[in-house]
Amino acid sequence: VLSRRRVCPVTIHVPEALSLARMTSGATRTPPRKTREAKPRERGATLRDIAEHAGVHQTTASRALDPQRRHHVSAEVARRVDLAVRSLDYRINRAASALRTGRSRTIGVLVPDITNPVFPPMLRGIEHALATEGMFAMVADIEAGRSSIEVADLMRAQGVDGFIIATSQRDEPLVARLHAAGVKVVQVNRRDESGEVPAVVSDDILGMRLAVDHLVGFGHRRIAHLAGPPQFSTGHLRKAGFLQALHAHRLKAAGSVDCSAYSVAAGAEAMARLARRDVRFTGVVAANDLIAIGAILELRRRGVVVPHDVSIVGHNDMPLVDMVSPALTTVRIQHYEMGRRAARLLLDELSGVNGLGRLGGPGADPVGAATIVLRPELVVRDSSAPPRA
Amino acid sequence: VLSRRRVCPVTIHVPEALSLARMTSGATRTPPRKTREAKPRERGATLRDIAEHAGVHQTTASRALDPQRRHHVSAEVARRVDLAVRSLDYRINRAASALRTGRSRTIGVLVPDITNPVFPPMLRGIEHALATEGMFAMVADIEAGRSSIEVADLMRAQGVDGFIIATSQRDEPLVARLHAAGVKVVQVNRRDESGEVPAVVSDDILGMRLAVDHLVGFGHRRIAHLAGPPQFSTGHLRKAGFLQALHAHRLKAAGSVDCSAYSVAAGAEAMARLARRDVRFTGVVAANDLIAIGAILELRRRGVVVPHDVSIVGHNDMPLVDMVSPALTTVRIQHYEMGRRAARLLLDELSGVNGLGRLGGPGADPVGAATIVLRPELVVRDSSAPPRA
DNA sequence: CTGAAAGCGCTAACAA
DNA sequence: TTGTTAGCGCTTTCAG
């Protein structure tokens, strides 16, 4: 029986200093760590190794390594600990840290379709903001058929510290559920309508006003709208903004049809429906660039030339829309900045006022959730022009 | 002193069954858990709660919840455990699990620039593959100025089970370093040249042959190349493939210039350099679509019409290149599939042959690393045509 | 400023 | 098939 109890029979690729530390410590401990043996991968140096190498107690080493508490240890100790870290190639074990503190330094990000060019820059903004705090994003692409609730539950099990959600519908059960459970959530780009969960969005109403004003400025009077899916705040608000902007000019919509999705196909299909209605229009404001492109394709198919016969304005200023033919006039929104701000907002929530003052949970923020609204700008290109005389 | 030692003075939002379990257990345990008190967020039910609710031991509950070991437990117990899970809204604590097992069910993904439309579908493939195993991707966008080595080290600290790397240069210190440390790594799209680390790539040589054969088939004889950055395998191999394909037709390159990046700007700049050389060409094969578009812009600026005066073929079939003017003839590569396969390869490595047979580390796979090469296909559109007579 | 002690929630090894 | 025991590596009291 005793023969099985040897200390770490094999050691591979472990710096010498480290294995020394291990051996010395072996004696002072309860029975040697047998669990150490057949691990999936050798584990690196631990805090105990650092402590021994630096000749201090674990606790002290831990303090020396935490920027927050670093100044509670003597300069000399800090130096020795740093040295040990370097010579043993120590990396903190976040799993252990997470288990102990309940914080994983990870956040969950839910996007509806990374393939939609709107989201990559947002993701970028999110990651860059997280990186400044040494945190990471666990990204999940919620494809059709996968429940965002299930994915979020898995992420909660993983211990994410909070969520950034770009999949919100206007009535979004997931957001409500997470919020009710006291989980920190920030919405980005789209938002639910509870008003209880913070969000970072573009000013969709203003965006549509820019588009409408532009066409009206050209002299267009008969303007139609290809609306986004009404279950998203973007679709809903842009449509409202469109109508509102027309109203300000004392105009009525020449027509408006909802698209089933933000896609080229849906845009083409919607334009076909609009055309079938036999309404007259000289300008079209689309809820998004993909829809605008679909519309252009459908018009072309019908022998209508953009912008000669009909002007079209998109929304988002996706990459390459300056290269399509005709180059698309569109409303540029701040994707990267939206992502960045959303992450910052979440970080603030995690460490900030709400962190300990209240216990989180529903109603934790009686003032109402923070909402950040970013300003879009119009980018005029070739798909819009004055109407034919 | 004693007054401070009360057990959990406040309990909020905890299901009744749960708090009951807690109280009962309190007695049988060592001193009551004081650490429980001011946590960042209330923790949910634990395995111990489940065990008590189901009237079995923790270990048994654990077994019942692990699909691997579930059949080692009686059907009745399994049922009771499932019931407990549902009624207590239990979610496994992966941090604890990770600490114990050394596996986090997370993998790290490094991309050079998510904003480049090549990567989102790859990411998608990766995530979908991981999702089948309930795993997640921690994605980091390695922007200029952030060291991929540092990011990877942070991710290692987070305990990722492996890496998928899309940032490889031909001589990639990161890949070498990780591999040397016995970390599981798979490369996608680009690969290093050590040949020791598995990769999933597109057949770049074949891709260029398709492009060249297409132009030659049209009757082009003077064909130039706009090469990708030579430090990437894609840039290097596509250039080699281009030359090789020309050679097979007994032709010589009309010229070849390297681009400094895969971008529209770099493509335009390279085309300008090529034009300045005063070489004659009727066809151009670009290493990537963005470069091709940059080239088209630059040619247009110089009064050269595509495809009337010069034909251009791109590479990748990025979204929207069918909409640019002229619609781009290009080589389509399987982005989504590359990502999916890369993830599967990594998963196999993690659970498979290498998992326990060898100890990982350098030389763990004496047969040589697996490489998966996917076939590209040519997509003919409007940017290529027979040369003028 | 430093150290001792305890335990976060889980699972592997062993024993019954 | 089930239970016992121990400990993964960290941080948090609390005591000196």
Side-chain angles (χ1 to χ4, degrees), chain A residues 322-335:
Chain A
D322 53 334
M323 281 298 304
V324 306
S325 156
L328 198 65
T329 294
T330 188
V331 176
R332 174 181 298 157
I333 69 178
Q334 306 185 49
H335 300 108

Side-chain angles (χ1 to χ4, degrees), chain A residues 31 33 36 47 62 90 100:
Chain A
R33 326 177 182 179
R36 274 257 160 181
L47 200 48
S62 172
Y90 171 78
R100 181 66 234 242

Side-chain angles (χ1 to χ4, degrees), chain B residues 131-149:
Chain B
T132 64
E133 311 278 328
M135 294 180 68
F136 286 106
M138 299 209 336
V139 180
D141 178 301
I142 306 295
E143 86 246 66
R146 191 155 64 138
S147 147
S148 59
I149 294 198

